[in-house]
Amino acid sequence: MPGSVSSSVAPVLFKAGCPECQARFELSAGSLRLAIGASRRTTFYSFTCPECGSAVRKPAGERIVELLTGGGVRTLRLYSTV
Ligand SMILES: [Zn+2]
């Protein structure tokens, strides 16, 4: 038996690419932000490129939203849920 099994959540890395400098890298959940709007057009995720410092914003489809929220990415809801 292995000594111990950690109960903490394993850090999840998300692969991303920068459209500005074409760099490819992996980002931790803390480096990403997800904004969920009322429609798909206003649902996107954003991050700062570690290579060139550009603020990158990309549209997030349903699968990406699930992936990011499941990975602990901070989520900002741009509409009110009543
Ligand atoms: Zn870049």
Side-chain angles (χ1 to χ4, degrees):
M1 290 287 286
S4 65
V5 177
S6 173
S7 62
S8 65
V9 180
V12 182
L13 291 176
F14 300 95
K15 289 179 182 174
C18 175
E20 295 295 328
C21 68
Q22 310 300 319
R24 288 181 171 276
F25 38 79
E26 291 185 332
L27 295 168
S28 63
S31 303
L32 287 156
R33 281 190 190 174
L34 177 66
I36 299 180
S39 72
R40 287 185 184 179
R41 289 178 197 167
T42 51
T43 299
F44 58 88
Y45 64 98
S46 61
F47 57 87
T48 301
C49 174
E51 295 294 329
C52 70
S54 289
V56 180
R57 178 185 287 196
K58 290 187 174 185
E62 281 182 27
R63 283 188 62 185
I64 294 178
V65 170
E66 281 182 25
L67 210 68
L68 296 182
T69 54
V73 173
R74 278 171 296 175
T75 305
L76 175 68
R77 292 188 186 277
L78 302 177
Y79 63 97
S80 57
T81 53
V82 179

